[in-house]
Amino acid sequence: QVQLQESGPGLVKPSETLSLTCAVSGGSISGYYWSWIRQPPGKGLEWIGFIYYSGSTNYNPSLRNRVTISADMSKNQFSLKVSSVTAADTAVYYCARDHHGFWSGQLDYWGQGTLVTVST
Amino acid sequence: QSALTQPASVSGSPGQSITISCTGTSSDVGGYNYVSWYQQHPGKVPKVMIYDVSNRPSGVSTRFSGSKSGNTASLTISGLQAEDEADYYCSSFATSSTPVVFGGGTKVTVL
């Protein structure tokens, strides 16, 4: 059973960089697309971006100039960085895996989510 | 504003059937059979209930079914139960500015 676990600071100051890591267990990151999704309190889901295990990435245009997703195959994990954060970046951040071995936008395994609050 | 349009709320009595619609365009829902539905209880992780328009993952109740006609996908919950009360989100593969789009979510209330 594939399991994903997000980790990182729960509080980030405005203008700083949010950094999260998603550790994957029970399976390899090879052969799949891995996404970050966020959900502001009381709101819907927003796709942030994905990385293929080979390193190719795709980001939501609304965040593209502030987001970087990278992967470390040796540690079987992938990471998210969002720079110049504001209060609008406060959200629960989830990592997830695409169901198919190709990009279909359908996420079958999700992490538990981690709340990141942007505040002084 | 979400890329896919869902009703904000749908309600039904126990045992009834309800249907949630998800309307997109030919660049997403209408053009590809990669529509999925997620159930999210308050404070919990989204759980995929349907993928590839109408396929149920192992362990998901047969009371949940999905379909698509044109640019609109639908999730039907039959034999509504109290435990079905949750938010439901649709998503679709897309060839627009983002490679996946989500609906704004539908709150299902069991009366």
Side-chain angles (χ1 to χ4, degrees):
Chain A
Q1 178 82 345
V2 175
Q3 292 185 315
L4 291 77
Q5 181 65 59
E6 305 90 348
S7 62
L11 181 64
V12 181
K13 290 182 169 56
S15 80
E16 295 189 344
T17 296
L18 176 163
S19 296
L20 297 174
T21 295
C22 181
V24 179
S25 59
S28 172
I29 64 172
S30 296
Y32 287 95
Y33 285 80
W34 304 88
S35 283
W36 286 97
I37 304 95
R38 70 181 184 180
Q39 186 173 35
K43 297 187 178 181
L45 301 168
E46 178 183 31
W47 176 78
I48 299 171
F50 72 57
I51 187 165
Y52 190 46
Y53 77 103
S54 63
S56 63
T57 56
N58 194 322
Y59 303 130
N60 189 321
S62 68
L63 297 164
R64 183 170 290 143
N65 62 344
R66 297 194 296 127
V67 169
T68 302
I69 298 176
S70 59
D72 186 337
M73 289 190 64
S74 67
K75 295 183 178 180
N76 215 42
Q77 64 185 34
F78 60 105
S79 300
L80 170 72
K81 292 186 186 298
V82 181
S83 63
S84 305
V85 298
T86 69
D89 294 307
T90 294
V92 175
Y93 285 75
Y94 296 100
C95 55
R97 191 194 80 171
D98 196 288
H99 174 73
H100 293 294
F102 55 85
W103 176 251
S104 71
Q106 303 174 108
L107 308 169
D108 56 359
Y109 290 101
W110 293 63
Q112 285 300 112
T114 186
L115 174 62
V116 178
T117 302
V118 179
S119 175
T120 56
Chain B
Q1 187 171 352
S2 301
L4 303 180
T5 300
Q6 298 180 234
S9 62
V10 172
S11 62
S13 299
Q16 287 186 329
S17 292
I18 62 169
T19 296
I20 304 168
S21 61
C22 171
T23 301
T25 69
S26 59
S27 295
D28 39 66
V29 174
Y32 308 92
N33 289 323
Y34 297 131
V35 175
S36 54
W37 290 89
Y38 303 91
Q39 177 193 64
Q40 186 179 36
H41 288 107
K44 300 299 184 182
V45 180
K47 174 187 176 183
V48 62
M49 306 301 282
I50 295 288
Y51 68 94
D52 292 352
V53 175
S54 60
N55 289 338
R56 272 185 310 276
S58 174
V60 172
S61 171
T62 56
R63 298 185 298 105
F64 291 84
S65 61
S67 62
K68 189 184 81 168
S69 177
N71 294 337
T72 297
S74 299
L75 173 71
T76 298
I77 308 174
S78 58
L80 199 61
Q81 299 181 359
E83 67 202 50
D84 301 331
E85 189 162 288
D87 293 325
Y88 292 82
Y89 295 90
C90 63
S91 76
S92 174
F93 172 91
T95 53
S96 56
S97 57
T98 57
V100 61
V101 288
F102 281 97
T106 297
K107 182 176 181 60
V108 168
T109 301
V110 180
L111 302 172

